[in-house]
Amino acid sequence: MSLDAQILQALRARGSEAISGAELSQKLGITRAAIGARIEALQQLGYEIEASPHHGYRLLSAPDVLHADDLSWRLAPNRRIGRDIRVFEQTTSTNDVIEKLARDGAGEGAVVFAESQTQGRGRLGRAWISPAHKGLWFSVLLRPNLTPQAATQLTVASATALRAAIESRTGLKVEIKWPNDILIAGKKVAGILTELSAELDRIKYVLVGIGVDVNLTVEDFSPELRAQATSLRIELGKPVVRIELAAAILTELDRQYGRVLDGEFSSVADEWESHCSTLGQRLVIQLGQRRLCGRAESLGEDGALLLRTDHGHLERIVGGDVTVEK
Ligand code: BTN
């Protein structure tokens, strides 16, 4: 844990009480002057820390910035996901950054966040708006020992995790639209872009890119998007502390990913099915030039959607543009 994270942890452990510079210096094994310098750096990042010559330091409030150390200490020590967290002020797309790290040999569970993206992308080549400090825009590197066909399990596990974390942090009712859309009251609030590098029978790595519209206002969405997209702030009527939500999402992702690796995908699928608004619905699925119509029946063992077409065939769907017929 870095010095900043240790200082923040000690301040938080004290709650509304102050902790003296002497105690901090003894705990962390550095001089009081060094503690003072780190406190100043944290204040510059927006942490409101009261410094009293008699009582010591007290954390009054934390800013809504994504600070890698501050995020790390909120996660379980033995986690897979989030062992290495990097935060950038701006990137093109966090999927590009994590891909470069993957090619350079970064370990499983590395996570890259950006406060804003200039070329955020969604599925099917769509753009993903990523305004600064308003959302969670991040990508996770996974190196599972799975076949490429099983990669859909990872999207299902990620969607299940994302749904659960958003619901538990906000209390809002959150649903999944297959394969990767997270909806509140029928409007999209988050999405997942899974990208894969694989050989014929083996995944080399998977990049799971996640975008959550946290504190966007209506004006942040284009007029065309407003009918289909929303944010947690719009739905709740108040802003959400992004770092707390980020910690909840990474924790849930770690849990659901662990289940996939342990061969327990069926329990992930059960959880997914109980919150999926797509099952039982009539769908139109555009797969390139091919258009399929039918009813969503269930989730296959590999995470594919099983669609009973109007011609009575059971089709295994792993991608495409899905429209729910009203
Ligand atoms: C979708 O619903 O179409 C997927 C959206 C995924 C957006 C995230 S934001 C972080 C990561 N970087 C990107 O460029 N895209 C994903």
Side-chain angles (χ1 to χ4, degrees):
M1 211 194 298
S2 76
L3 269 179
D4 286 5
Q6 291 180 59
I7 293 174
L8 287 169
Q9 193 177 38
L11 290 171
R12 283 201 172 94
R14 248 343 124 82
S16 56
E17 306 267 293
I19 180 165
S20 71
E23 191 179 338
L24 271 177
S25 133
Q26 200 194 19
K27 241 184 184 346
L28 274 62
I30 56 169
T31 64
R32 288 173 66 172
I35 296 282
R38 290 321 309 158
I39 293 274
E40 246 175 61
L42 286 167
Q43 285 169 329
Q44 267 162 24
L45 282 173
Y47 288 88
E48 213 185 323
I49 301 171
E50 182 187 74
S52 137
H54 298 300
H55 302 106
Y57 301 106
R58 208 153 64 94
L59 180 62
L60 302 179
S61 72
D64 189 22
V65 290
L66 299 173
H67 185 292
D69 293 333
D70 196 359
L71 187 49
S72 288
W73 83 267
R74 295 164 193 261
L75 306 176
N78 59 351
R79 65 195 180 266
R80 279 193 189 89
I81 293 180
R83 280 191 285 219
D84 170 9
I85 298 178
R86 305 181 195 197
V87 179
F88 294 87
E89 194 50 37
Q90 189 173 72
T91 58
T92 48
S93 154
T94 54
N95 269 36
D96 294 343
V97 179
I98 202 95
E99 172 153 38
K100 183 165 185 322
L101 289 179
R103 278 196 261 107
D104 291 348
E108 157 149 294
V111 183
V112 168
F113 283 85
E115 286 288 13
S116 74
Q117 300 183 112
T118 53
Q119 287 167 43
R121 53 178 191 269
R123 284 179 68 235
L124 310 168
R126 294 181 181 133
W128 182 266
I129 57 156
S130 322
H133 301 269
K134 293 201 171 177
L136 290 176
W137 327 123
F138 67 101
S139 302
V140 180
L141 170 62
L142 303 176
R143 295 185 182 277
N145 187 9
L146 293 175
T147 62
Q149 291 71 27
T152 312
Q153 292 186 1
L154 301 173
T155 306
V156 170
S158 305
T160 307
L162 197 48
R163 192 215 68 80
I166 295 176
E167 190 164 292
S168 78
R169 289 304 316 170
T170 62
L172 294 165
K173 184 165 166 15
V174 187
E175 290 188 318
I176 302 168
K177 177 182 159 207
W178 189 89
N180 69 335
D181 288 356
I182 305 296
L183 311 183
I184 295 178
K187 288 187 174 180
K188 180 158 169 171
V189 75
I192 302 166
L193 176 69
T194 310
E195 293 179 320
L196 185 69
S197 168
E199 288 164 2
L200 267 182
D201 56 348
R202 183 184 78 91
I203 289 178
K204 288 207 272 186
Y205 56 78
V206 179
L207 316 174
V208 181
I210 296 182
V212 187
D213 292 335
V214 184
N215 289 328
L216 284 79
T217 58
V218 174
E219 295 71 40
D220 289 314
F221 295 102
S222 64
E224 309 81 68
L225 274 181
R226 282 178 203 164
Q228 310 152 31
T230 189
S231 76
L232 299 178
R233 180 185 182 148
I234 294 170
E235 297 302 316
L236 268 182
K238 59 174 189 195
V240 170
V241 180
R242 291 177 310 141
I243 199 161
E244 288 174 2
L245 179 63
I249 294 173
L250 292 183
T251 302
E252 257 314 293
L253 277 174
D254 195 54
R255 195 169 81 84
Q256 300 293 358
Y257 181 52
R259 285 164 121 184
V260 173
L261 294 186
D262 293 346
E264 293 167 16
F265 178 68
S266 64
S267 42
V268 180
D270 288 347
E271 188 171 334
W272 183 93
E273 285 193 0
S274 62
H275 297 286
C276 175
S277 61
T278 319
L279 293 184
Q281 303 273 11
R282 271 195 56 76
L283 307 180
V284 177
I285 302 179
Q286 196 70 42
L287 287 162
Q289 300 296 352
R290 208 167 154 228
R291 187 181 157 92
L292 286 171
C293 301
R295 193 165 296 279
E297 218 166 78
S298 60
L299 198 64
E301 275 172 20
D302 55 357
L305 182 72
L306 301 181
L307 183 84
R308 179 72 59 187
T309 67
D310 293 347
H311 304 294
H313 303 301
L314 199 59
E315 291 268 355
R316 200 181 145 268
I317 312 288
V318 293
D321 199 8
V322 178
T323 314
V324 178
E325 277 199 341
K326 298 267 152 60

